[in-house]
Short mmCIF file of all heavy atoms in Angstrom, two decimals:
data_model
loop_
_atom_site.label_atom_id
_atom_site.label_comp_id
_atom_site.label_asym_id
_atom_site.label_seq_id
_atom_site.Cartn_x
_atom_site.Cartn_y
_atom_site.Cartn_z
N PRO H 151 2.85 8.28 27.36
CA PRO H 151 1.81 7.87 28.32
C PRO H 151 1.36 9.01 29.22
O PRO H 151 0.22 8.99 29.70
CB PRO H 151 2.49 6.77 29.15
CG PRO H 151 3.80 6.48 28.52
CD PRO H 151 4.10 7.50 27.48
N THR H 152 2.21 10.01 29.42
CA THR H 152 1.82 11.12 30.28
C THR H 152 1.17 12.27 29.51
O THR H 152 0.80 13.28 30.09
CB THR H 152 3.03 11.68 31.06
OG1 THR H 152 3.95 12.26 30.12
CG2 THR H 152 3.73 10.59 31.83
N PHE H 153 1.08 12.14 28.18
CA PHE H 153 0.49 13.24 27.39
C PHE H 153 -0.06 12.67 26.10
O PHE H 153 0.49 12.84 25.02
CB PHE H 153 1.54 14.32 27.12
CG PHE H 153 0.96 15.59 26.57
CD1 PHE H 153 0.20 16.42 27.39
CD2 PHE H 153 1.16 15.97 25.25
CE1 PHE H 153 -0.35 17.60 26.89
CE2 PHE H 153 0.62 17.14 24.75
CZ PHE H 153 -0.13 17.94 25.57
N LYS H 154 -1.18 12.00 26.21
CA LYS H 154 -1.73 11.25 25.08
C LYS H 154 -2.73 12.04 24.26
O LYS H 154 -3.07 11.64 23.15
CB LYS H 154 -2.47 10.01 25.62
CG LYS H 154 -1.57 8.89 26.06
CD LYS H 154 -2.37 7.60 26.13
CE LYS H 154 -2.35 7.01 27.50
NZ LYS H 154 -2.98 5.68 27.57
N SER H 155 -3.28 13.10 24.84
CA SER H 155 -4.41 13.77 24.22
C SER H 155 -4.05 14.31 22.85
O SER H 155 -3.16 15.14 22.69
CB SER H 155 -4.88 14.92 25.12
OG SER H 155 -5.58 15.87 24.35
N LEU H 156 -4.75 13.82 21.84
CA LEU H 156 -4.43 14.13 20.45
C LEU H 156 -5.66 14.75 19.81
O LEU H 156 -6.77 14.28 19.99
CB LEU H 156 -4.07 12.81 19.74
CG LEU H 156 -3.29 12.83 18.45
CD1 LEU H 156 -1.90 13.40 18.66
CD2 LEU H 156 -3.17 11.40 17.92
N ASN H 157 -5.44 15.80 19.05
CA ASN H 157 -6.51 16.40 18.26
C ASN H 157 -7.06 15.37 17.27
O ASN H 157 -6.33 14.51 16.78
CB ASN H 157 -5.90 17.62 17.55
CG ASN H 157 -6.78 18.21 16.50
OD1 ASN H 157 -6.90 17.66 15.41
ND2 ASN H 157 -7.41 19.31 16.82
N LEU H 158 -8.37 15.47 16.97
CA LEU H 158 -9.01 14.49 16.09
C LEU H 158 -8.30 14.39 14.73
O LEU H 158 -8.00 13.29 14.25
CB LEU H 158 -10.48 14.86 15.89
CG LEU H 158 -11.30 14.01 14.91
CD1 LEU H 158 -11.31 12.54 15.31
CD2 LEU H 158 -12.74 14.53 14.80
N ALA H 159 -8.00 15.54 14.13
CA ALA H 159 -7.37 15.51 12.80
C ALA H 159 -5.95 14.94 12.89
O ALA H 159 -5.48 14.29 11.95
CB ALA H 159 -7.33 16.92 12.20
N GLN H 160 -5.28 15.17 14.01
CA GLN H 160 -3.93 14.61 14.19
C GLN H 160 -4.01 13.10 14.27
O GLN H 160 -3.15 12.39 13.73
CB GLN H 160 -3.28 15.16 15.48
CG GLN H 160 -3.22 16.67 15.59
CD GLN H 160 -1.96 17.28 15.01
OE1 GLN H 160 -1.68 17.04 13.85
NE2 GLN H 160 -1.24 18.06 15.78
N ALA H 161 -5.02 12.59 14.96
CA ALA H 161 -5.20 11.13 15.05
C ALA H 161 -5.48 10.54 13.66
O ALA H 161 -4.90 9.52 13.28
CB ALA H 161 -6.34 10.80 16.01
N VAL H 162 -6.35 11.23 12.91
CA VAL H 162 -6.65 10.76 11.55
C VAL H 162 -5.38 10.79 10.69
O VAL H 162 -5.11 9.87 9.91
CB VAL H 162 -7.77 11.61 10.92
CG1 VAL H 162 -7.93 11.31 9.43
CG2 VAL H 162 -9.10 11.37 11.65
N LEU H 163 -4.58 11.85 10.86
CA LEU H 163 -3.34 11.96 10.08
C LEU H 163 -2.40 10.79 10.37
O LEU H 163 -1.89 10.14 9.46
CB LEU H 163 -2.63 13.28 10.40
CG LEU H 163 -1.26 13.44 9.73
CD1 LEU H 163 -1.39 13.62 8.22
CD2 LEU H 163 -0.50 14.63 10.32
N LEU H 164 -2.16 10.52 11.65
CA LEU H 164 -1.21 9.47 12.00
C LEU H 164 -1.68 8.11 11.51
O LEU H 164 -0.91 7.34 10.91
CB LEU H 164 -0.97 9.43 13.52
CG LEU H 164 0.00 10.49 14.07
CD1 LEU H 164 0.09 10.38 15.59
CD2 LEU H 164 1.39 10.36 13.44
N VAL H 165 -2.95 7.80 11.73
CA VAL H 165 -3.46 6.50 11.28
C VAL H 165 -3.41 6.41 9.75
O VAL H 165 -2.96 5.41 9.19
CB VAL H 165 -4.89 6.27 11.81
CG1 VAL H 165 -5.52 5.05 11.15
CG2 VAL H 165 -4.87 6.10 13.33
N SER H 166 -3.83 7.48 9.07
CA SER H 166 -3.82 7.46 7.60
C SER H 166 -2.40 7.30 7.07
O SER H 166 -2.15 6.52 6.13
CB SER H 166 -4.41 8.76 7.04
OG SER H 166 -5.75 8.92 7.46
N TYR H 167 -1.46 8.03 7.69
CA TYR H 167 -0.07 7.95 7.22
C TYR H 167 0.49 6.55 7.42
O TYR H 167 1.11 5.97 6.52
CB TYR H 167 0.79 8.98 7.95
CG TYR H 167 2.19 9.10 7.37
CD1 TYR H 167 2.46 10.00 6.35
CD2 TYR H 167 3.22 8.29 7.82
CE1 TYR H 167 3.72 10.10 5.80
CE2 TYR H 167 4.49 8.37 7.28
CZ TYR H 167 4.74 9.29 6.27
OH TYR H 167 6.00 9.37 5.73
N LEU H 168 0.27 6.00 8.60
CA LEU H 168 0.85 4.69 8.89
C LEU H 168 0.21 3.60 8.03
O LEU H 168 0.88 2.68 7.57
CB LEU H 168 0.72 4.38 10.38
CG LEU H 168 1.60 5.31 11.25
CD1 LEU H 168 1.22 5.20 12.72
CD2 LEU H 168 3.08 5.02 11.06
N LEU H 169 -1.08 3.73 7.77
CA LEU H 169 -1.75 2.77 6.89
C LEU H 169 -1.17 2.80 5.49
O LEU H 169 -0.97 1.76 4.87
CB LEU H 169 -3.25 3.08 6.78
CG LEU H 169 -4.15 2.66 7.92
CD1 LEU H 169 -5.59 2.95 7.54
CD2 LEU H 169 -3.97 1.18 8.23
N THR H 170 -0.92 3.98 4.99
CA THR H 170 -0.54 4.10 3.59
C THR H 170 0.97 4.00 3.38
O THR H 170 1.42 3.90 2.25
CB THR H 170 -1.04 5.43 2.99
OG1 THR H 170 -0.58 6.51 3.82
CG2 THR H 170 -2.55 5.46 2.92
#
Side-chain angles (χ1 to χ4, degrees):
Chain H
T152 66
F153 192 71
K154 284 198 239 187
S155 157
L156 199 64
N157 169 284
L158 175 59
Q160 305 271 55
V162 170
L163 175 69
L164 281 178
V165 169
S166 299
Y167 189 90
L168 293 167
L169 282 185
T170 53

